[in-house]
Amino acid sequence: MPELPEVETIRRQLEPELLGSVIVDCAAFDHPKFTPAHLAVGHRVVGIRRRGKYLLVGLAAVGAAPDPTHELVIHLGMTGRLWIEPDDHHALEATDQPYQRARWRLDDGRTMVFSDVRRFGRIAVTVRNDHRGLNTLAQMGPEPFDPAFQPEPLRRGVNASRQAVKTQLLSQRLVAGLGNIYADEALWAARVHPGARRITRAQAERLSETIREVLAAGIAAGGTTLRDYRDASGATGRFQMQLRCYGLAGHPCERCGTPLARTVIDARSTTFCRTCQRR
DNA sequence: CGATTTCCCTGGCCGC
DNA sequence: TGCGGCCAGGGAAATC
């Protein structure tokens, strides 16, 4: 369940490793979600950005100007992992390792590996910034740490729809990068009911602030590992020790002592405090 | 067009 | 011990 903090952690680890390397070969799992990995071959990595939960590896054709013309788009889905293997004697087609969906061979002999047990991940190569065909990415809302992310647009966006505020947060359209864990944490910290259809200015102020706070804390802790998540070095995150709401149904609310409640919103398990998160 | 539902996947867990 | 059944969950496609 890599969300923004987990993807950002991986991005920071991979960028210095990949920068300047040329992708010289590729093997991919035979499924339309993964075979586009081949399209990255013949390009040099000139940067790695992140938009929401997407990694965008900047690509420039070998021998061309060092400006990115394309990007390798990687979404980790639920169980996606990325890492770099040192130069060794393994064949590119060493897919005897289970669940490997793509292996990219670099010009210095190293290999970047993408594995994904549940195959909810996705790989694409696009013209830079042309994300037609990747709807969620094309309609991605502002990055939470960008000045463009403001309380008023958040409030207007939530109130313009009949959907629950949590559904809106998960849609990626009002703000980028939240998944189930950090959405529950931010709503709890802002004392906003996850099922609310409308929010006030004061709530939008608090929510925009707590979204930034929980995501920043998540990044600082190297992400959240509940089961599957590992960073590019194979390490677990540590934010699971700091969770105050997600997955804690039945435990007393830290603020008021009321046992946290569990419900389902948008087919997502949702934890909240009935007492301090009023509609 | 916006909202809702369904589907994709598989390991882990529960109950019998 | 074995097995059927169910759950988790991001995002896209299908449907309403």
Side-chain angles (χ1 to χ4, degrees), chain A residues 227-247:
Chain A
R227 179 179 298 168
D228 298 295
Y229 170 70
R230 298 291 185 280
D231 68 19
S233 74
T236 62
R238 299 172 306 282
F239 194 66
Q240 62 278 9
M241 329 257 292
Q242 299 177 47
L243 293 174
R244 303 165 90 178
C245 178
Y246 177 87

Side-chain angles (χ1 to χ4, degrees), chain A residues 38 55 67 82 92 102 151 200 218 230 256-257 265 270:
Chain A
H38 289 287
L55 278 176
D67 310 302
L82 276 172
L92 178 66
T200 64
R230 298 291 185 280
C256 73
I265 290 179
T270 298

Side-chain angles (χ1 to χ4, degrees), chain A residues 111-152:
Chain A
T111 304
M112 181 164 75
V113 181
F114 176 59
S115 86
D116 182 12
V117 171
R118 294 188 202 176
R119 292 194 231 167
F120 277 28
R122 185 185 176 97
I123 295 171
V125 172
T126 71
V127 170
R128 182 174 158 86
N129 288 332
D130 180 0
H131 299 136
R132 286 173 294 183
L134 296 166
N135 273 335
T136 302
L137 185 54
Q139 300 179 45
M140 187 73 64
E143 286 294 318
F145 301 112
D146 190 288
F149 177 53
Q150 291 290 324
E152 265 307 284

Side-chain angles (χ1 to χ4, degrees), chain A residues 157-195:
Chain A
V158 169
N159 293 351
S161 151
R162 273 172 274 170
Q163 292 180 314
V165 59
K166 179 172 176 182
T167 302
Q168 300 271 7
L169 295 182
L170 295 178
S171 80
Q172 311 298 306
R173 292 200 291 197
L174 298 181
V175 58
L178 290 171
N180 211 24
I181 297 172
Y182 295 96
D184 275 8
E185 290 295 310
L187 288 163
W188 178 86
R191 308 192 307 278
V192 173
H193 193 294

Side-chain angles (χ1 to χ4, degrees), chain A residues 8-248:
Chain A
E8 178 62 21
T9 298
I10 292 171
R11 189 199 69 78
R12 291 179 183 183
Q13 293 174 322
L14 289 182
E15 183 165 53
E17 294 290 325
L18 282 181
L19 216 50
S21 290
V22 174
I23 298 170
V24 295
D25 206 352
C26 172
F29 183 77
D30 187 16
H31 186 288
K33 292 169 86 172
F34 305 109
T35 51
H38 289 287
L39 300 172
V41 171
H43 292 87
R44 185 184 302 277
V45 175
V46 294
I48 306 187
R49 297 187 293 153
R50 179 193 52 71
R51 273 295 275 141
K53 307 174 200 175
Y54 288 81
L55 278 176
L56 305 174
V57 181
L59 302 176
V62 173
D67 310 302
T69 56
H70 291 73
E71 48 203 6
L72 169 62
V73 179
I74 302 175
H75 194 289
L76 298 172
M78 287 274 298
T79 55
R81 293 184 193 176
L82 276 172
W83 68 88
I84 293 176
E85 295 183 347
D87 190 6
D88 61 18
H89 307 299
H90 284 122
L92 178 66
E93 294 76 17
T95 42
D96 51 314
Q97 301 289 344
Y99 312 124
Q100 294 200 2
R101 308 305 176 194
R103 298 174 63 89
W104 294 274
R105 175 57 57 94
L106 307 178
D107 55 343
D108 63 3
R110 293 178 303 156
T111 304
M112 181 164 75
V113 181
F114 176 59
S115 86
D116 182 12
V117 171
R118 294 188 202 176
R119 292 194 231 167
F120 277 28
R122 185 185 176 97
I123 295 171
V125 172
T126 71
V127 170
R128 182 174 158 86
N129 288 332
D130 180 0
H131 299 136
R132 286 173 294 183
L134 296 166
N135 273 335
T136 302
L137 185 54
Q139 300 179 45
M140 187 73 64
E143 286 294 318
F145 301 112
D146 190 288
F149 177 53
Q150 291 290 324
E152 265 307 284
L154 176 65
R155 183 187 68 85
R156 280 196 297 271
V158 169
N159 293 351
S161 151
R162 273 172 274 170
Q163 292 180 314
V165 59
K166 179 172 176 182
T167 302
Q168 300 271 7
L169 295 182
L170 295 178
S171 80
Q172 311 298 306
R173 292 200 291 197
L174 298 181
V175 58
L178 290 171
N180 211 24
I181 297 172
Y182 295 96
D184 275 8
E185 290 295 310
L187 288 163
W188 178 86
R191 308 192 307 278
V192 173
H193 193 294
R197 257 70 176 166
R198 295 186 59 81
I199 57 174
T200 64
R201 285 172 201 268
Q203 287 179 316
E205 291 272 357
R206 293 201 303 269
L207 189 53
S208 59
E209 195 170 321
T210 61
I211 286 170
R212 284 191 294 263
E213 285 170 358
V214 298
L215 292 175
I219 293 171
T224 304
T225 298
L226 297 177
R227 179 179 298 168
D228 298 295
Y229 170 70
R230 298 291 185 280
D231 68 19
S233 74
T236 62
R238 299 172 306 282
F239 194 66
Q240 62 278 9
M241 329 257 292
Q242 299 177 47
L243 293 174
R244 303 165 90 178
C245 178
Y246 177 87
L248 295 174

